[in-house]
Amino acid sequence: MKKLLLISSFLLSASASFAQVNSYFLNNPIWNETSLCAIPAPCIENDTYNYYTNGDTIINSLQYKKIFRKGIKSRSWQSPNPNQGCSGTNTYVDTVPSFYLRSAGKQIYIYNQAMFNSEQLLYDFNLQVGDTLPLTAVNFSNAITVTAIDSFYTMVGYRKRFHLTGTYTWCMYLLEGVGSDKGLATIMQVPFECGYNLNCYSLQDTGYYPQIGPTCDIPLAVLNNVPEKTALTVYPNPAADILNISISSG
């Protein structure tokens, strides 16, 4: 009888782990962010990108959401005598996840094997006015406090917005289920030679932060088999009744 109870308890525990719902990551959330970094200065790279969910995975018996990234990068030279290697624009769509996230209650955990050997607490939204933010994968300071709490609307109800203050933080807000006003997984201390910003957060096809509006998804145009040069010839000139147009590529 004891063996049966032990087996039943194990099966219930395993079932709970595999069937858990990552409630913050339902309804196809999309984060639209921008980074502006010196690579190095005076070459500046502007990257406008989406983080988005695409499927689940099981790691150590816990269910995570796969977080992918796509975007548009452009480079410019901020100095006389431009460097030809610091120019141009390109789009990208990552084929492997940037990291993995799961939510439990009002906490978000991150698993990034390239940076950590195990999952790390990313955010804890169990906060009240006057509380100090815990140390996490993106917060290295124990001197950031919550000064006020209000909310923002989403399709799944109101979520809390925590106003922050602290000597070492550059973030103004912690956003429940979203991250900070600097992004989903951006460090909360001032980064070296980079700037970050959360432009938009959406669920399904509607943006909900910083305001209600269109989706935050970035449309990426992929051009295939486009010739490098196209020649257009129009004749005769002048034309009377018939105008011929000839297109050739080289």
Side-chain angles (χ1 to χ4, degrees):
M1 183 65 177
K2 288 183 178 180
K3 289 184 178 179
L4 180 59
L5 288 173
L6 287 173
I7 292 172
S8 299
S9 298
F10 172 78
L11 290 175
L12 286 172
S13 175
S15 175
S17 295
F18 281 86
Q20 70 184 107
V21 176
N22 283 294
S23 59
Y24 285 139
F25 307 119
L26 299 177
N27 302 300
N28 301 314
I30 295 176
W31 296 257
N32 181 311
E33 305 180 14
T34 297
S35 69
L36 191 67
C37 297
I39 56 167
C43 184
I44 306 298
E45 181 176 82
N46 187 312
D47 188 359
T48 300
Y49 54 90
N50 283 153
Y51 280 126
Y52 59 98
T53 62
N54 188 8
D56 301 320
T57 189
I58 302 296
I59 303 174
N60 298 327
S61 299
L62 295 171
Q63 181 175 307
Y64 290 83
K65 283 290 183 181
K66 299 177 183 179
I67 308 298
F68 288 83
R69 178 168 166 163
K70 67 176 183 178
I72 306 171
K73 289 184 179 180
S74 62
R75 292 183 177 184
S76 58
W77 186 257
Q78 306 296 310
S79 180
N81 304 315
N83 184 328
Q84 297 302 316
C86 180
S87 63
T89 300
N90 68 284
T91 63
Y92 64 91
V93 179
D94 290 348
T95 57
V96 297
S98 298
F99 42 80
Y100 307 90
L101 296 179
R102 73 177 181 94
S103 62
K106 291 187 177 293
Q107 294 177 319
I108 293 179
Y109 293 87
I110 185 171
Y111 185 87
N112 186 343
Q113 195 170 18
M115 299 178 64
F116 313 112
N117 293 324
S118 60
E119 76 166 16
Q120 303 288 315
L121 177 65
L122 187 63
Y123 297 108
D124 188 344
F125 303 112
N126 294 295
L127 299 169
Q128 302 296 326
V129 174
D131 285 353
T132 299
L133 266 61
L135 299 179
T136 68
V138 292
N139 175 39
F140 315 134
S141 169
N142 56 8
I144 303 176
T145 58
V146 178
T147 58
I149 301 174
D150 54 24
S151 61
F152 61 100
Y153 176 77
T154 74
M155 63 176 290
V156 293
Y158 285 92
R159 290 183 177 177
K160 292 182 178 180
R161 181 175 70 164
F162 304 88
H163 297 241
L164 306 177
T165 187
T167 305
Y168 302 106
T169 182
W170 69 325
C171 299
M172 295 179 60
Y173 306 114
L174 184 68
L175 308 167
E176 182 184 356
V178 178
S180 75
D181 58 317
K182 299 303 180 183
L184 170 60
T186 305
I187 61 172
M188 303 184 74
Q189 282 65 53
V190 179
F192 182 66
E193 292 192 342
C194 274
Y196 295 88
N197 192 64
L198 174 67
N199 304 318
C200 177
Y201 170 77
S202 65
L203 296 172
Q204 298 295 16
D205 295 323
T206 303
Y208 290 101
Y209 191 90
Q211 58 200 14
I212 296 177
T215 178
C216 304
D217 187 38
I218 301 172
L220 300 182
V222 179
L223 303 178
N224 296 318
N225 301 320
V226 177
E228 293 184 1
K229 296 182 180 180
T230 300
L232 179 66
T233 304
V234 179
Y235 62 94
N237 184 16
D241 298 322
I242 298 176
L243 183 65
N244 298 294
I245 300 176
S246 174
I247 300 175
S248 62
S249 60

